[in-house]
């Protein structure tokens, strides 16, 4: 019953039907006195399952993979050879039924993940010069305006072009309540319109949108095989050796081949093979319901083993969006006018701070003017004309280089950790805009929850200035701080942190991708982060909530604990039953029924990982 072999559902049903039908027909013949005919029917009903099993074993051995399916084949073959056709038929029924039950358990556990794959939109209504036209989503280009009707899945990432849109994001984030997005706010593909129809301006092609990336990540997750499953395969070889030793020993000691048959029957199949993959897959599915996409069982196990967390600041502990927190206006200047002039000029820039100033000015109802003669120095600032005034907006060194000789410079006394933008109007310092990237409201509680989940050491690693990073570290229970880091520096921090245990790296930007790749488990803030970080990471947070990471770690711990419980109990009961069979206390037929009851129990126990 290896995890990688997933027989087609209809084949499983057919094998179960043949074995069950043969068992029932044989019992009827036996009751009416046809004992010879009954034995023939039981043996005949065993053969299809046995042949199917032999084919699976040959395929496994070609891959260099051997497991407890061999015991099942030996027990059925021995049952037929030694005239125990009824026991062979029961083993065949329980083996086929076990495969069906395992397959059913996996299908149920994967339901939350694979639901994403069936939601891909194929066409969309596009606004054209000739009116609305239905087009394939592959034909949608950035800037196209689309009509999203109630009940439709958004095919691409875009910005809302109507006054508002009511969106169900549960398929991506796990959030049960719809959200209301306003004009110019971003909506992700794969979410569903549950309110009135609205217009959406495409930001990127469907192939590059969030939903397409998530589908790729889901497909990767489904192809992955957990290290614990490979470990189970290795243990299966030891269990196979123990089984053969007990069966052979019982035969040699007593001279009774039925004792050996009873041992083989009791050992078929093994809870070790069933419990681990079902528990791990169930854990992955449970995490997906919370909006945490785990790329396979190996990533889930690594998440549970993490003892050190290296956290990026921007976009992880903070929202990653610049906000205007204060305005200092020089004597004689009005704060709103300083902001209006700066935002008017910033309409000619694509800088993240320019975008923040424009949005703030618009939110305050300020009327922006059209700038002219714009000249921008990348990363430093820009200069231009607004309403007949020369306006300069930028960093202190850049902006103040345009001051008139002898112009006074006021020092408002902002803390060194504050990021500021100076505004110079006609050679005079008109004011200073204080920018900030505020901490997430739940940042402090998340740190505490991570510690409760088993993270012993937390390191803040950021490319920001030391003064800014120190202000964040002071407000949180951080064990160590590393600032002014390059992408290579972050890699070095992760490698250094590994001395204290398995390392989990959490980040959202392209500059975090190398560190995410080198960490024992990389976690990307996928809701707003860069595609490069999501592709590199082992775990992707589809919802912009870092507190769900602590939930995922708890799920990882619980899944591993449930798998281990199932293995210990299942193997313990199997070994006790094998010993009883070796001493003649458990005949083949009763042993087969007992063992399969154990298998059903461990599968049902492993499915507990699906529940909260």
């Amino acid at each position: 019953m290896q995890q990688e072999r997933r027989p087609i559902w209809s084949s499983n049903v057919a094998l179960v039907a043949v074995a069950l039908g043969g068992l029932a027909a044989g019992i009827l013949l036996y009751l009416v006195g046809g004992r010879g005919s009954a034995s023939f029917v039981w043996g005949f009903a065993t053969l299809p399952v046995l042949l199917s099993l032999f084919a699976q074993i040959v395929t496994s051995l070609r891959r260099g993979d051997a497991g407890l399916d061999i015991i099942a084949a030996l027990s059925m073959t021995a049952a037929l050879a030694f005239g125990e056709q009824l026991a062979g038929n029961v083993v065949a029924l329980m083996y086929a039924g076990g495969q069906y039950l395992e397959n059913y358990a996996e299908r149920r556990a994967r339901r939350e993940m694979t639901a994403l794959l069936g939601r891909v939109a194929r066409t969309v209504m596009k606004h054209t010069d000739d009116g609305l036209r239905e087009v394939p989503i592959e034909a949608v280009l950035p800037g196209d305006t689309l009509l999203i009707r109630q009940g439709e899945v958004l095919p691409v990432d875009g910005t809302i072009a109507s006054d508002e849109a009511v969106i169900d994001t549960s398929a991506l984030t796990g959030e049960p309540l719809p959200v209301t997005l306003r004009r110019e706010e971003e909506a992700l593909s794969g979410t569903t319109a549950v309110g009135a129809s609205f217009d959406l301006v495409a930001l990127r092609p469907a192939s590059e949108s969030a939903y397409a990336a998530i589908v790729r990540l889901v497909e990767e997750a489904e192809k992955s095989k957990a290290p614990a499953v490979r470990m189970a395969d290795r243990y299966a070889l030891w269990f196979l050796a123990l089984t053969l030793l007990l069966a052979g020993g019982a035969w040699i000691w007593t001279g009774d081949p039925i004792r050996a048959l009873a041992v083989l029957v009791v050992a078929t199949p093994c809870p070790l093979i069933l419990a681990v993959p079902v528990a791990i897959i169930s854990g992955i599915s449970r995490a997906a319901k919370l909006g945490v996409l785990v790329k396979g069982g190996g990533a889930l196990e690594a998440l549970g083993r993490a003892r050190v967390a290296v956290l990026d600041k921007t976009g992880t502990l903070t929202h990653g969006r610049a906000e205007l927190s204060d305005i200092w206006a020089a004597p004689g200047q009005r704060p709103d006018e300083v902001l209006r002039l700066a935002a008017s000029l910033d309409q000619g820039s694509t800088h993240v701070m320019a975008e923040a100033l424009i949005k703030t000015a618009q939110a305050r109802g300020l009327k922006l003017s059209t700038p002219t003669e714009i000249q921008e120095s990348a990363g430093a600032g820009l200069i231009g004309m607004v309403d007949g005034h020369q306006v300069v907006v930028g960093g202190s060194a850049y902006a103040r280089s345009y001051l008139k000789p002898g112009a006074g410079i006021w020092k408002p006394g902002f803390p060194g950790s504050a990021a500021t933008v100076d505004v110079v109007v006609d050679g005079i310092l008109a004011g200073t805009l204080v920018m900030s990237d505020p901490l997430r409201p739940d940042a402090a509680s998340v740190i505490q929850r991570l510690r409760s989940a088993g993270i012993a050491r937390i390191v803040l690693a950021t490319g920001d200035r030391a003064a800014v990073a120190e202000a964040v570290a002071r407000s949180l229970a951080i064990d160590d701080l590393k600032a002014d880091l390059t992408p290579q520096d972050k890699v070095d921090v992760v490698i250094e942190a590994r001395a204290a245990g398995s390392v989990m790296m959490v980040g959202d930007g392209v500059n975090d991708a190398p560190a995410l790749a080198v960490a024992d488990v990389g976690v990307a803030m996928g809701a707003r982060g860069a595609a490069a970080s999501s592709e590199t990471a082992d775990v992707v947070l589809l919802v912009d909530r870092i507190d769900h990471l602590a939930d995922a770690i708890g799920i990882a711990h619980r899944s591993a604990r449930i798998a281990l419980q199932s293995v210990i109990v299942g193997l313990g009961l199997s070994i006790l039953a094998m010993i009883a069979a070796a001493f003649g206390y458990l005949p083949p037929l009763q042993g087969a029924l007992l063992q399969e009851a154990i298998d059903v129990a461990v599968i049902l126990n492993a499915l507990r990982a699906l529940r909260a």
Side-chain angles (χ1 to χ4, degrees), residues 238-607:
W238 287 101
F239 190 81
L240 173 61
L242 176 62
T243 299
L244 295 177
L245 180 63
L246 282 174
W251 190 352
I252 294 172
W253 183 262
T254 65
D256 184 3
I258 302 301
R259 294 279 185 96
L261 172 61
V263 173
L264 292 175
V265 166
V266 169
T268 309
C270 177
L272 183 65
I273 295 299
L274 299 174
V276 177
V278 172
I280 294 298
I281 295 167
S282 297
I284 292 172
S285 176
R286 178 63 194 162
K289 289 191 70 173
L290 298 178
V292 182
L293 181 60
V294 182
K295 298 183 186 177
L300 189 73
E301 292 178 17
L303 193 62
R305 290 194 302 268
R307 294 296 175 265
V308 181
V310 178
L311 308 178
D312 179 42
K313 180 185 75 69
T314 305
T316 302
L317 295 176
T318 69
H319 287 288
R321 299 186 298 271
E323 296 181 3
L324 178 65
S325 60
D326 197 5
I327 302 176
W328 172 80
Q333 300 286 342
R334 292 183 294 110
D336 276 358
E337 181 62 12
V338 174
L339 174 60
R340 189 190 74 82
L341 291 172
S344 295
L345 179 60
D346 273 340
Q347 291 176 105
S349 174
T350 58
H351 194 278
V352 62
M353 287 194 178
E355 180 182 355
L357 293 180
I358 293 169
K359 286 186 175 181
T360 303
Q362 291 173 338
R364 294 189 181 190
L366 303 180
K367 186 176 181 180
L368 303 185
S369 302
T370 302
T372 59
E373 303 178 27
I374 301 171
Q375 298 179 30
E376 183 170 9
S377 297
L382 67 164
I383 182 173
M385 300 299 295
V386 178
D387 296 338
H389 299 283
Q390 184 191 64
V391 179
V392 183
V393 179
S396 178
Y398 175 83
R400 298 187 184 194
S401 68
Y402 288 91
L403 291 174
K404 292 179 179 179
I409 301 178
W410 296 85
K411 295 182 179 180
F414 294 120
S417 61
T420 60
V421 176
D422 282 347
V423 183
V424 174
V425 179
D426 294 331
I428 304 296
L429 181 61
T432 298
L433 308 175
V434 183
M435 310 299 295
S436 65
D437 180 11
L439 282 174
R440 295 174 182 267
D442 60 348
S445 63
V446 165
I447 296 297
Q448 183 58 44
R449 289 192 61 195
L450 288 176
R451 293 194 186 280
S452 299
I455 302 298
R457 180 175 175 78
I458 298 177
V459 180
L460 179 62
T462 177
D464 279 354
R465 293 177 293 117
V468 176
E470 287 169 1
V472 172
R474 280 195 299 270
S475 61
L476 300 173
I478 301 296
D479 297 305
D480 195 8
L481 168 66
K482 306 290 185 181
D484 295 310
L485 301 180
T486 65
Q488 180 58 50
D489 292 335
K490 289 188 177 183
V491 170
D492 295 339
V493 168
V494 169
I495 294 174
E496 179 184 341
R498 193 169 284 141
S502 182
V503 179
M504 173 182 69
M505 170 69 193
V506 186
D508 76 323
V510 174
N511 61 327
D512 296 319
L516 292 172
V518 78
D520 296 290
V521 56
V523 180
M525 301 293 293
R528 292 186 176 272
S533 62
S534 294
E535 295 288 348
T536 305
D538 305 293
V539 178
V540 182
L541 297 180
L542 303 179
V543 58
D544 194 27
R545 289 182 53 180
I546 192 175
D547 61 316
H548 283 199
L549 176 57
D551 295 327
I553 294 175
I555 289 170
H557 289 159
R558 185 167 184 265
S559 299
R561 187 167 59 250
I562 288 173
L564 185 60
Q565 289 170 354
S566 296
V567 166
I568 291 174
V569 173
L571 281 183
L573 291 175
S574 294
I575 291 173
L576 289 176
M578 289 162 59
I579 294 173
F583 281 96
Y585 296 113
L586 198 60
L589 179 59
Q590 289 86 335
L593 295 174
L594 175 61
Q595 179 56 54
E596 298 312 325
I598 294 172
D599 293 336
V600 171
V602 298
I603 290 177
L604 294 177
N605 183 65
L607 283 172

Side-chain angles (χ1 to χ4, degrees), residues 135-150:
V135 300
I137 63 168
E138 293 81 7
V140 175
L141 300 175
D144 286 348
T145 302
L146 313 174
L147 174 65
I148 306 298
R149 296 167 292 191
Q150 186 175 22

